[in-house]
Coordinates of all heavy atoms in Angstrom, one line a residue:
M95 N 0.9 -1.1 0.0 CA 0.0 0.0 0.0 C 0.9 1.3 0.0 O 1.9 1.3 0.9 CB -0.9 0.0 1.2 CG -1.8 1.1 1.3 SD -2.9 1.0 2.8 CE -3.2 -0.8 3.0
T96 N 0.7 2.1 -1.0 CA 1.5 3.4 -1.1 C 0.7 4.5 -0.9 O -0.4 4.6 -1.6 CB 2.2 3.3 -2.4 OG1 3.0 2.1 -2.6 CG2 3.1 4.4 -2.7
F97 N 1.1 5.5 -0.3 CA 0.4 6.7 -0.1 C 1.3 7.8 -0.8 O 2.4 8.0 -0.6 CB 0.3 7.2 1.4 CG -0.7 6.2 2.2 CD1 -0.2 5.4 3.2 CD2 -2.0 6.4 2.0 CE1 -1.1 4.6 3.9 CE2 -2.8 5.6 2.7 CZ -2.4 4.7 3.6
N98 N 0.6 8.6 -1.6 CA 1.1 9.8 -2.2 C 0.5 11.0 -1.4 O -0.6 11.3 -1.5 CB 0.7 9.9 -3.6 CG 1.1 11.1 -4.3 OD1 2.2 11.7 -4.0 ND2 0.2 11.7 -5.1
W99 N 1.5 11.8 -0.7 CA 1.1 12.8 0.1 C 1.0 14.1 -0.6 O 2.0 14.6 -1.3 CB 2.0 13.0 1.3 CG 2.0 11.7 2.2 CD1 3.0 10.8 2.1 CD2 1.1 11.5 3.1 NE1 2.5 9.8 3.0 CE2 1.3 10.2 3.7 CE3 -0.2 12.1 3.7 CZ2 0.6 9.6 4.7 CZ3 -0.8 11.5 4.5 CH2 -0.4 10.2 5.0
I100 N -0.2 14.7 -0.7 CA -0.4 16.0 -1.4 C -0.3 17.0 -0.3 O -1.1 17.2 0.6 CB -1.8 16.0 -2.0 CG1 -1.9 14.9 -3.0 CG2 -2.1 17.4 -2.7 CD1 -3.3 14.7 -3.5
I101 N 0.8 17.8 -0.5 CA 1.1 18.8 0.5 C 1.3 20.1 -0.1 O 2.0 20.3 -1.1 CB 2.5 18.5 1.2 CG1 2.4 17.1 1.9 CG2 2.9 19.5 2.2 CD1 3.6 16.5 2.4
S102 N 0.5 21.1 0.4 CA 0.6 22.5 -0.2 C 1.7 23.3 0.9 O 1.4 23.3 2.1 CB -0.6 23.2 -0.2 OG -1.2 23.3 1.0
G103 N 2.7 23.9 0.4 CA 3.5 24.6 1.2 C 4.8 23.7 1.5 O 5.0 22.6 1.0
D104 N 5.6 24.1 2.6 CA 6.8 23.4 2.9 C 6.5 22.2 3.8 O 5.4 22.3 4.6 CB 7.8 24.4 3.8 CG 8.3 25.5 3.0 OD1 8.4 25.3 1.8 OD2 8.5 26.5 3.6
D105 N 7.3 21.1 3.6 CA 7.0 19.9 4.5 C 8.0 20.1 5.7 O 9.1 19.7 5.8 CB 7.5 18.8 3.7 CG 7.1 17.4 4.3 OD1 6.4 17.4 5.3 OD2 7.7 16.4 3.8
N106 N 7.4 20.8 6.7 CA 8.2 21.1 8.0 C 8.0 19.9 9.0 O 7.2 19.1 8.7 CB 7.6 22.5 8.5 CG 6.1 22.5 8.8 OD1 5.7 21.6 9.5 ND2 5.5 23.5 8.2
P107 N 8.8 20.0 10.0 CA 8.6 18.9 11.0 C 7.3 18.7 11.6 O 6.8 17.4 11.9 CB 9.5 19.3 12.2 CG 10.7 20.2 11.4 CD 9.8 21.0 10.3
S108 N 6.4 19.7 11.9 CA 5.1 19.5 12.3 C 4.1 18.8 11.2 O 3.4 18.1 11.6 CB 4.5 20.9 12.8 OG 4.3 21.7 11.9
L109 N 4.4 19.2 10.0 CA 3.7 18.6 9.0 C 4.0 17.1 8.9 O 3.3 16.3 8.6 CB 3.9 19.4 7.7 CG 2.9 18.9 6.6 CD1 1.5 19.1 6.9 CD2 3.2 19.9 5.4
K110 N 5.3 16.8 8.9 CA 5.9 15.5 8.9 C 5.2 14.6 10.0 O 4.7 13.4 9.8 CB 7.3 15.4 9.0 CG 7.9 14.0 8.8 CD 9.4 14.0 8.8 CE 10.0 12.6 8.6 NZ 11.5 12.6 8.5
K111 N 5.0 15.1 11.2 CA 4.5 14.5 12.3 C 3.0 14.2 12.1 O 2.4 13.2 12.3 CB 4.6 15.2 13.6 CG 4.0 14.5 14.8 CD 4.1 15.3 16.0 CE 3.4 14.6 17.2 NZ 2.3 13.7 17.1
A112 N 2.3 15.2 11.5 CA 0.8 15.1 11.1 C 0.7 14.0 10.1 O -0.2 13.2 10.2 CB 0.3 16.5 10.6
R113 N 1.7 14.0 9.1 CA 1.5 12.9 8.0 C 1.8 11.5 8.6 O 1.0 10.6 8.3 CB 2.6 13.2 7.0 CG 2.5 12.4 5.8 CD 3.3 12.8 4.6 NE 4.8 12.6 5.0 CZ 5.8 13.6 5.0 NH1 5.6 14.6 4.6 NH2 7.0 13.1 5.3
I114 N 2.7 11.4 9.5 CA 2.9 10.1 10.2 C 1.7 9.7 11.0 O 1.2 8.5 10.9 CB 4.2 10.1 11.0 CG1 5.4 10.3 10.2 CG2 4.2 8.9 12.0 CD1 6.7 10.5 10.9
D115 N 1.1 10.6 11.8 CA 0.1 10.3 12.6 C -1.3 9.9 11.7 O -2.0 8.9 12.1 CB -0.5 11.5 13.4 CG 0.6 11.8 14.5 OD1 1.3 10.9 14.9 OD2 0.6 12.9 15.1
L116 N -1.4 10.6 10.6 CA -2.6 10.3 9.8 C -2.3 8.9 9.1 O -3.3 8.2 8.9 CB -2.8 11.5 8.7 CG -3.9 11.2 7.7 CD1 -5.2 11.2 8.4 CD2 -3.9 12.4 6.7
E117 N -1.1 8.6 8.8 CA -0.9 7.3 8.1 C -1.1 6.1 9.1 O -1.7 5.2 8.7 CB 0.6 7.3 7.6 CG 0.8 6.0 6.9 CD 2.2 5.8 6.1 OE1 2.8 7.0 5.9 OE2 2.6 4.8 5.7
Y118 N -0.7 6.4 10.3 CA -1.0 5.4 11.3 C -2.5 5.2 11.6 O -2.9 4.0 11.8 CB -0.4 5.7 12.6 CG 1.1 5.1 12.7 CD1 2.2 6.0 12.3 CD2 1.3 3.8 12.9 CE1 3.6 5.4 12.4 CE2 2.7 3.3 12.8 CZ 3.8 4.1 12.6 OH 5.0 3.7 12.6
R119 N -3.3 6.1 11.5 CA -4.8 6.0 11.6 C -5.3 5.4 10.3 O -6.2 4.7 10.4 CB -5.4 7.4 11.8 CG -5.2 7.9 13.2 CD -6.0 9.2 13.6 NE -6.3 10.1 12.5 CZ -5.7 11.3 12.3 NH1 -4.8 11.6 13.2 NH2 -6.1 12.1 11.4
L120 N -4.8 5.7 9.1 CA -5.4 5.3 7.8 C -5.1 3.7 7.6 O -6.0 3.1 7.1 CB -4.9 6.2 6.7 CG -5.4 7.5 6.5 CD1 -4.9 8.3 5.5 CD2 -7.0 7.5 6.2
R121 N -3.8 3.4 7.8 CA -3.4 2.0 7.4 C -4.4 0.9 7.9 O -4.7 0.1 7.3 CB -2.0 1.7 7.8 CG -1.0 2.4 6.6 CD 0.3 1.9 6.8 NE 1.2 2.4 5.9 CZ 1.4 2.0 4.7 NH1 0.8 0.8 4.3 NH2 2.2 2.6 3.8
P122 N -4.7 0.9 9.2 CA -5.6 0.0 9.8 C -7.0 -0.1 9.2 O -7.5 -1.1 8.9 CB -5.6 0.1 11.3 CG -4.4 1.0 11.6 CD -4.1 1.8 10.4
R123 N -7.5 1.2 9.0 CA -8.8 1.3 8.6 C -8.9 0.8 7.0 O -9.8 0.1 6.7 CB -9.3 2.7 8.6 CG -9.6 3.2 10.0 CD -10.1 4.6 10.1 NE -11.0 5.1 9.0 CZ -10.9 6.3 8.6 NH1 -10.1 7.3 8.9 NH2 -11.9 6.7 7.6
I124 N -7.9 1.2 6.2 CA -7.9 0.8 4.9 C -7.7 -0.8 4.8 O -8.3 -1.4 3.9 CB -6.9 1.5 4.1 CG1 -7.3 3.0 4.0 CG2 -6.6 1.0 2.8 CD1 -6.3 3.9 3.4
T125 N -6.7 -1.2 5.6 CA -6.5 -2.7 5.5 C -7.8 -3.5 5.9 O -8.0 -4.4 5.2 CB -5.4 -3.0 6.5 OG1 -4.2 -2.3 6.0 CG2 -5.1 -4.6 6.6
K126 N -8.4 -3.0 7.0 CA -9.7 -3.7 7.3 C -10.7 -3.7 6.2 O -11.3 -4.6 5.9 CB -10.2 -3.1 8.6 CG -11.4 -3.8 9.1 CD -11.8 -3.1 10.4 CE -13.1 -3.8 11.0 NZ -13.6 -3.1 12.2
F127 N -10.7 -2.5 5.6 CA -11.8 -2.2 4.5 C -11.4 -3.2 3.3 O -12.2 -3.9 2.8 CB -11.8 -0.9 4.1 CG -12.4 -0.6 2.8 CD1 -13.9 -0.6 2.7 CD2 -11.8 -0.5 1.6 CE1 -14.6 -0.4 1.5 CE2 -12.4 -0.3 0.4 CZ -13.8 -0.2 0.4
L128 N -10.1 -3.2 2.8 CA -9.8 -4.1 1.8 C -10.0 -5.6 2.1 O -10.4 -6.2 1.1 CB -8.3 -3.8 1.5 CG -7.9 -2.4 0.9 CD1 -6.5 -2.2 0.8 CD2 -8.7 -2.1 -0.4
L129 N -9.7 -6.0 3.3 CA -9.9 -7.4 3.6 C -11.4 -7.7 3.5 O -11.8 -8.8 3.2 CB -9.3 -7.7 5.0 CG -7.8 -7.7 5.1 CD1 -7.3 -7.9 6.6 CD2 -7.2 -8.9 4.3
S130 N -12.3 -6.8 3.9 CA -13.7 -7.0 3.7 C -14.2 -7.0 2.4 O -15.2 -7.6 2.2 CB -14.4 -6.0 4.6 OG -14.4 -4.7 4.0
Q131 N -13.4 -6.5 1.4 CA -14.0 -6.4 0.1 C -13.5 -7.5 -0.9 O -14.1 -7.8 -1.9 CB -13.3 -5.0 -0.5 CG -13.9 -3.8 0.1 CD -15.5 -3.6 -0.1 OE1 -15.9 -3.7 -1.2 NE2 -16.1 -3.5 1.0
F132 N -12.4 -8.3 -0.4 CA -12.0 -9.3 -1.2 C -12.3 -10.6 -0.5 O -12.2 -10.8 0.6 CB -10.5 -9.1 -1.5 CG -10.3 -7.9 -2.3 CD1 -10.0 -6.6 -1.8 CD2 -10.3 -8.0 -3.7 CE1 -9.8 -5.6 -2.6 CE2 -10.1 -6.9 -4.5 CZ -9.8 -5.7 -4.0
D133 N -12.5 -11.6 -1.4 CA -12.7 -13.0 -1.0 C -11.6 -13.5 -0.2 O -10.3 -13.4 -0.6 CB -13.0 -13.8 -2.2 CG -13.3 -15.3 -1.8 OD1 -14.3 -15.4 -1.1 OD2 -12.6 -16.1 -2.3
G134 N -11.7 -14.1 1.0 CA -10.8 -14.7 1.7 C -9.9 -15.8 1.1 O -8.9 -16.1 1.5
D135 N -10.4 -16.4 0.1 CA -9.7 -17.4 -0.7 C -8.6 -17.0 -1.6 O -7.7 -17.7 -2.1 CB -10.6 -18.3 -1.4 CG -11.7 -19.0 -0.6 OD1 -11.3 -19.2 0.6 OD2 -12.7 -19.3 -1.1
H136 N -8.6 -15.6 -1.8 CA -7.6 -15.1 -2.7 C -6.7 -14.1 -1.9 O -7.2 -13.2 -1.3 CB -8.3 -14.1 -3.8 CG -9.1 -15.1 -4.7 ND1 -9.9 -16.2 -4.2 CD2 -9.5 -15.0 -6.0 CE1 -10.5 -16.7 -5.3 NE2 -10.3 -15.9 -6.4
P137 N -5.5 -14.3 -2.0 CA -4.5 -13.4 -1.2 C -4.4 -12.0 -1.9 O -4.7 -11.8 -3.1 CB -3.1 -14.0 -1.4 CG -3.3 -14.9 -2.6 CD -4.7 -15.4 -2.8
I138 N -4.4 -11.0 -1.0 CA -4.4 -9.6 -1.4 C -3.0 -9.1 -1.5 O -2.2 -9.2 -0.5 CB -5.2 -8.8 -0.4 CG1 -6.6 -9.2 -0.3 CG2 -5.1 -7.4 -0.9 CD1 -7.5 -8.5 0.7
N139 N -2.5 -8.6 -2.7 CA -1.2 -8.0 -2.8 C -1.4 -6.6 -2.4 O -1.8 -5.8 -3.4 CB -0.7 -8.2 -4.2 CG 0.7 -7.7 -4.4 OD1 1.2 -7.1 -3.5 ND2 1.3 -8.0 -5.5
F140 N -1.1 -6.2 -1.3 CA -1.3 -4.8 -0.9 C -0.4 -3.8 -1.6 O -0.7 -2.6 -1.6 CB -1.1 -4.6 0.6 CG -2.1 -5.3 1.5 CD1 -2.1 -6.4 2.1 CD2 -3.4 -4.4 1.6 CE1 -3.1 -7.0 2.9 CE2 -4.5 -5.0 2.4 CZ -4.3 -6.2 2.9
S141 N 0.6 -4.3 -2.3 CA 1.4 -3.4 -3.1 C 0.7 -2.8 -4.3 O 1.2 -1.9 -5.0 CB 2.8 -4.1 -3.5 OG 2.5 -5.1 -4.3
N142 N -0.5 -3.4 -4.8 CA -1.3 -3.0 -5.8 C -2.1 -1.8 -5.5 O -2.7 -1.2 -6.5 CB -2.1 -4.0 -6.4 CG -1.3 -5.2 -7.1 OD1 -0.3 -4.9 -7.7 ND2 -1.8 -6.3 -7.1
F143 N -2.1 -1.4 -4.3 CA -3.1 -0.2 -3.8 C -2.1 1.1 -3.7 O -1.2 1.1 -2.9 CB -3.7 -0.5 -2.6 CG -4.6 -1.8 -2.7 CD1 -4.2 -3.1 -2.4 CD2 -5.9 -1.6 -3.0 CE1 -4.9 -4.2 -2.6 CE2 -6.7 -2.9 -3.3 CZ -6.3 -4.1 -3.0
Y144 N -2.7 2.1 -4.4 CA -2.1 3.4 -4.3 C -3.2 4.5 -3.8 O -4.4 4.3 -4.4 CB -1.6 3.9 -5.6 CG -0.4 2.9 -6.0 CD1 -0.6 1.8 -6.8 CD2 1.0 3.3 -5.8 CE1 0.4 0.9 -7.2 CE2 2.0 2.4 -6.3 CZ 1.7 1.3 -6.9 OH 2.7 0.4 -7.2
F145 N -2.8 5.3 -2.9 CA -3.8 6.3 -2.5 C -3.2 7.7 -2.5 O -1.9 7.8 -2.2 CB -4.3 6.0 -1.2 CG -4.9 4.5 -1.0 CD1 -4.3 3.4 -0.7 CD2 -6.2 4.4 -1.4 CE1 -4.8 2.2 -0.5 CE2 -6.8 3.2 -1.3 CZ -6.1 2.1 -1.0
D146 N -3.9 8.6 -2.8 CA -3.5 10.0 -2.8 C -4.2 10.6 -1.6 O -5.4 10.5 -1.5 CB -3.8 10.8 -4.1 CG -3.2 10.3 -5.3 OD1 -2.0 9.8 -5.2 OD2 -3.8 10.2 -6.4
V147 N -3.3 11.3 -0.8 CA -3.8 11.8 0.5 C -3.5 13.3 0.6 O -2.4 13.8 0.6 CB -3.2 11.2 1.7 CG1 -3.8 11.6 3.0 CG2 -3.3 9.7 1.7
D148 N -4.6 14.1 0.8 CA -4.6 15.4 0.9 C -4.4 15.8 2.4 O -5.4 15.6 3.1 CB -5.8 16.2 0.4 CG -5.8 17.7 0.5 OD1 -5.0 18.3 1.3 OD2 -6.6 18.3 -0.3
I149 N -3.3 16.1 2.9 CA -2.8 16.3 4.3 C -3.6 17.4 4.9 O -4.1 17.2 6.0 CB -1.4 16.4 4.4 CG1 -1.0 16.3 6.0 CG2 -0.8 17.7 3.9 CD1 -1.0 14.9 6.5
K150 N -3.9 18.5 4.2 CA -4.6 19.7 4.7 C -6.1 19.4 5.0 O -6.6 19.7 6.0 CB -4.5 20.8 3.7 CG -5.2 22.0 4.1 CD -5.0 23.2 3.2 CE -5.8 24.4 3.7 NZ -5.8 25.5 2.5
N151 N -6.7 18.7 4.0 CA -8.2 18.3 4.2 C -8.4 17.0 4.7 O -9.5 16.6 4.9 CB -8.8 18.5 2.8 CG -8.9 19.9 2.2 OD1 -9.1 20.9 3.1 ND2 -8.4 20.0 1.0
Q152 N -7.3 16.1 5.0 CA -7.3 14.8 5.4 C -8.4 14.1 4.6 O -9.3 13.3 5.1 CB -7.8 14.8 6.9 CG -6.5 15.4 7.7 CD -6.8 15.2 9.2 OE1 -7.6 14.5 9.7 NE2 -5.7 15.7 10.0
W153 N -8.2 14.1 3.3 CA -9.1 13.3 2.4 C -8.2 12.4 1.6 O -7.2 12.7 1.3 CB -9.8 14.4 1.5 CG -10.9 13.5 0.7 CD1 -10.8 13.0 -0.5 CD2 -12.3 13.5 1.1 NE1 -12.0 12.4 -0.9 CE2 -13.0 12.7 0.1 CE3 -13.0 13.8 2.2 CZ2 -14.2 12.3 0.1 CZ3 -14.3 13.4 2.2 CH2 -15.0 12.7 1.3
I154 N -8.7 11.1 1.3 CA -8.0 10.2 0.6 C -8.7 9.7 -0.5 O -9.9 9.5 -0.5 CB -7.5 8.9 1.6 CG1 -6.6 8.0 0.8 CG2 -8.7 8.4 2.1 CD1 -6.0 7.0 1.8
W155 N -8.0 9.5 -1.7 CA -8.5 9.1 -2.9 C -7.7 7.8 -3.3 O -6.6 7.6 -3.1 CB -8.3 10.2 -4.2 CG -8.9 11.5 -4.0 CD1 -10.2 11.8 -4.4 CD2 -8.4 12.6 -3.3 NE1 -10.5 13.1 -4.0 CE2 -9.4 13.7 -3.4 CE3 -7.2 13.0 -2.7 CZ2 -9.3 14.9 -2.9 CZ3 -7.1 14.2 -2.2 CH2 -8.1 15.1 -2.3
I156 N -8.4 7.0 -4.1 CA -8.0 5.9 -4.8 C -7.0 6.5 -6.0 O -7.7 7.1 -6.8 CB -9.0 4.9 -5.3 CG1 -9.9 4.5 -4.1 CG2 -8.2 3.7 -5.9 CD1 -11.2 3.7 -4.7
S157 N -5.7 6.2 -6.0 CA -5.0 6.7 -7.1 C -5.2 5.9 -8.4 O -5.5 4.7 -8.4 CB -3.4 6.6 -6.7 OG -2.7 7.0 -7.9
E158 N -5.1 6.6 -9.6 CA -5.3 6.0 -10.8 C -4.1 5.1 -11.1 O -4.1 4.2 -12.0 CB -5.4 7.1 -11.9 CG -6.7 7.7 -11.8 CD -6.8 8.8 -12.9 OE1 -5.8 9.2 -13.6 OE2 -7.9 9.3 -13.1
K159 N -3.1 5.0 -10.2 CA -2.0 4.0 -10.3 C -2.5 2.7 -9.8 O -2.0 1.6 -10.1 CB -0.9 4.3 -9.4 CG -0.1 5.6 -9.9 CD 1.1 6.0 -9.1 CE 1.8 7.2 -9.5 NZ 2.9 7.5 -8.7
T160 N -3.6 2.5 -9.1 CA -4.1 1.3 -8.6 C -4.8 0.7 -9.9 O -5.4 1.3 -10.7 CB -5.4 1.6 -7.5 OG1 -4.8 2.2 -6.5 CG2 -5.9 0.3 -7.1
P161 N -4.7 -0.6 -10.0 CA -5.2 -1.3 -11.2 C -6.7 -1.1 -11.3 O -7.5 -1.1 -10.3 CB -4.8 -2.7 -11.0 CG -3.6 -2.7 -10.1 CD -3.8 -1.6 -9.2
Y162 N -7.2 -0.9 -12.5 CA -8.6 -0.6 -12.9 C -9.5 -1.5 -12.2 O -10.6 -1.1 -11.6 CB -8.8 -0.5 -14.3 CG -10.2 -0.1 -14.7 CD1 -10.7 1.2 -14.5 CD2 -11.1 -1.1 -15.1 CE1 -12.0 1.6 -14.9 CE2 -12.4 -0.9 -15.5 CZ -12.9 0.4 -15.3 OH -14.1 0.8 -15.6
D163 N -9.3 -2.9 -12.3 CA -10.2 -3.9 -11.7 C -10.3 -3.7 -10.2 O -11.4 -3.9 -9.6 CB -9.8 -5.3 -12.2 CG -8.4 -5.7 -11.7 OD1 -7.5 -4.8 -11.7 OD2 -8.2 -6.8 -11.3
I164 N -9.3 -3.3 -9.5 CA -9.3 -3.1 -8.2 C -10.2 -1.9 -7.8 O -10.9 -2.0 -6.9 CB -7.9 -2.9 -7.6 CG1 -7.2 -4.3 -7.6 CG2 -7.9 -2.5 -6.1 CD1 -5.7 -4.4 -7.3
I165 N -9.9 -0.8 -8.6 CA -10.7 0.3 -8.3 C -12.1 0.1 -8.5 O -12.9 0.5 -7.6 CB -10.4 1.5 -9.4 CG1 -8.8 2.0 -9.1 CG2 -11.3 2.7 -9.2 CD1 -8.4 3.0 -10.2
E166 N -12.6 -0.7 -9.6 CA -13.9 -0.9 -9.8 C -14.6 -1.8 -8.7 O -15.7 -1.5 -8.3 CB -14.1 -1.6 -11.1 CG -13.9 -0.9 -12.4 CD -15.0 0.3 -12.5 OE1 -16.1 0.0 -12.2 OE2 -14.6 1.5 -12.6
K167 N -13.7 -2.6 -8.0 CA -14.2 -3.4 -7.0 C -14.5 -2.7 -5.7 O -15.5 -3.0 -4.9 CB -13.3 -4.6 -6.7 CG -13.8 -5.5 -5.6 CD -13.2 -7.0 -5.8 CE -13.7 -7.8 -4.7 NZ -15.2 -8.2 -4.8
I168 N -13.7 -1.6 -5.4 CA -13.7 -1.1 -4.1 C -14.3 0.3 -4.1 O -14.7 0.9 -3.0 CB -12.3 -1.0 -3.5 CG1 -11.4 0.0 -4.2 CG2 -11.8 -2.3 -3.2 CD1 -10.0 0.3 -3.5
K169 N -14.6 1.0 -5.3 CA -14.9 2.3 -5.4 C -16.3 2.6 -4.7 O -16.6 3.6 -4.2 CB -14.9 2.9 -6.8 CG -16.0 2.3 -7.7 CD -15.9 2.9 -9.1 CE -17.0 2.4 -10.1 NZ -16.8 3.0 -11.3
V170 N -17.3 1.8 -4.8 CA -18.6 1.9 -4.4 C -18.6 2.2 -2.8 O -19.2 3.2 -2.4 CB -19.5 0.8 -4.7 CG1 -20.8 0.9 -4.0 CG2 -19.7 0.6 -6.2
D171 N -17.9 1.5 -2.1 CA -17.9 1.6 -0.7 C -16.7 2.5 0.0 O -16.7 2.7 1.1 CB -17.9 0.2 0.0 CG -19.1 -0.6 -0.3 OD1 -20.2 0.0 -0.4 OD2 -19.0 -1.8 -0.6
F172 N -15.7 2.7 -0.9 CA -14.5 3.3 -0.3 C -14.8 4.6 0.4 O -14.2 4.7 1.5 CB -13.4 3.6 -1.4 CG -12.1 4.1 -1.0 CD1 -11.2 3.3 -0.3 CD2 -11.9 5.4 -1.1 CE1 -10.0 3.9 0.1 CE2 -10.7 5.9 -0.6 CZ -9.7 5.1 -0.1
D173 N -15.4 5.5 -0.2 CA -15.6 6.8 0.5 C -16.4 6.8 1.7 O -16.1 7.5 2.5 CB -16.1 7.9 -0.6 CG -15.0 8.4 -1.4 OD1 -13.9 8.7 -1.0 OD2 -15.2 8.5 -2.7
R174 N -17.5 6.0 1.6 CA -18.3 5.9 2.7 C -17.5 5.3 3.9 O -17.6 5.7 5.1 CB -19.5 4.9 2.5 CG -20.5 4.8 3.6 CD -21.7 3.9 3.2 NE -21.4 2.9 2.4 CZ -21.0 1.7 2.7 NH1 -20.9 1.4 4.0 NH2 -20.8 0.7 1.9
E175 N -16.7 4.3 3.6 CA -16.0 3.7 4.8 C -14.8 4.3 5.2 O -14.4 4.5 6.4 CB -15.5 2.2 4.3 CG -16.7 1.3 4.1 CD -17.4 0.9 5.4 OE1 -16.7 0.8 6.4 OE2 -18.6 0.7 5.3
I176 N -14.0 5.0 4.3 CA -12.8 5.7 4.7 C -12.9 7.1 4.9 O -12.4 7.6 5.8 CB -11.8 5.4 3.5 CG1 -11.5 3.8 3.3 CG2 -10.4 6.0 4.0 CD1 -11.2 3.0 4.6
N177 N -13.6 7.8 4.0 CA -13.8 9.3 4.2 C -15.1 9.7 4.9 O -15.1 10.9 5.2 CB -13.7 10.0 2.9 CG -12.3 9.8 2.2 OD1 -11.3 10.2 2.9 ND2 -12.3 9.5 0.9
G178 N -15.9 8.7 5.0 CA -17.2 9.2 5.7 C -18.2 9.8 4.8 O -19.0 10.6 5.2
S179 N -18.1 9.7 3.4 CA -18.9 10.4 2.5 C -19.2 9.5 1.4 O -18.5 8.4 1.3 CB -18.0 11.6 1.9 OG -18.7 12.1 0.8
H180 N -20.4 9.8 0.7 CA -20.8 8.9 -0.4 C -20.1 9.3 -1.7 O -20.5 8.8 -2.8 CB -22.3 8.8 -0.5 CG -22.9 8.2 0.6 ND1 -22.9 6.8 0.8 CD2 -23.5 8.7 1.6 CE1 -23.4 6.5 2.0 NE2 -23.8 7.7 2.5
L181 N -19.3 10.3 -1.7 CA -18.6 10.9 -2.9 C -17.6 9.8 -3.5 O -17.0 9.2 -2.7 CB -18.0 12.2 -2.8 CG -18.8 13.3 -2.2 CD1 -18.0 14.5 -2.0 CD2 -19.8 13.7 -3.2
F182 N -17.5 9.7 -4.7 CA -16.6 8.8 -5.4 C -15.2 9.4 -5.5 O -15.2 10.5 -6.1 CB -17.1 8.3 -6.6 CG -16.2 7.3 -7.4 CD1 -15.5 6.3 -6.7 CD2 -15.8 7.7 -8.7 CE1 -14.7 5.5 -7.3 CE2 -15.0 6.8 -9.4 CZ -14.4 5.7 -8.7
S183 N -14.2 8.9 -4.9 CA -12.9 9.6 -4.9 C -11.8 8.7 -5.6 O -11.2 7.8 -5.1 CB -12.4 9.9 -3.6 OG -13.1 10.8 -2.9
V184 N -11.6 9.0 -6.9 CA -10.5 8.5 -7.7 C -9.7 9.6 -8.1 O -10.3 10.5 -8.8 CB -10.9 7.6 -8.9 CG1 -9.6 7.1 -9.5 CG2 -11.6 6.3 -8.3
A185 N -8.5 9.8 -7.8 CA -7.6 10.9 -8.2 C -7.2 10.8 -9.7 O -7.2 9.8 -10.2 CB -6.5 11.1 -7.4

C-alpha cells in the first residue's frame, strides 16, 4: 500500500508528524476495509493499492495508479468507509 502525500507549502517537522499520525490512523482502517472487500480465498497483494492523501483536508483518494479492476471493486464503498462520505474519490 503506497500513499502519495499531497502537501501545499513546505514539508516542515510539524507537517511530517501530522503525516505520520494520519498514516497510522489510515493504514488499519484501509487494511480492514480491503480485507472485507476481497474474498478470503484469494491473497491480497497490498502493493497494488495506491492512495493520494490531501494532508490539509485529510481526504484520501484511490490513485489511478491502482489497477482498474481493483478500483472498480472497491470504489462503491471506499468513500463511505474511509472518508465518511458517499462521494466517489479516484484521483
Side-chain angles (χ1 to χ4, degrees):
M95 183 178 323
T96 303
F97 291 110
N98 172 43
W99 297 96
I100 300 168
I101 301 169
S102 57
D104 294 333
D105 190 13
N106 58 52
S108 65
L109 189 56
K110 185 175 182 178
K111 182 184 180 328
R113 192 172 67 228
I114 291 168
D115 290 344
L116 182 57
E117 183 168 345
Y118 274 101
R119 288 193 321 260
L120 286 172
R121 279 192 182 273
R123 287 177 46 212
I124 292 172
T125 300
K126 183 178 176 181
F127 168 76
L128 294 174
L129 290 171
S130 74
Q131 297 295 305
F132 292 90
D133 184 59
D135 296 334
H136 298 30
I138 300 173
N139 182 353
F140 286 102
S141 65
N142 287 331
F143 296 91
Y144 295 85
F145 301 98
D146 295 324
V147 182
D148 181 337
I149 190 79
K150 181 180 177 185
N151 296 313
Q152 295 191 0
W153 191 268
I154 185 167
W155 293 273
I156 304 166
S157 172
E158 290 180 347
K159 291 180 182 179
T160 301
Y162 180 77
D163 59 324
I164 293 174
I165 291 173
E166 287 300 307
K167 181 154 181 69
I168 66 174
K169 72 180 184 180
V170 173
D171 296 321
F172 181 80
D173 283 317
R174 181 176 39 85
E175 294 291 325
I176 303 304
N177 290 315
S179 170
H180 293 286
L181 299 175
F182 175 51
S183 292
V184 174

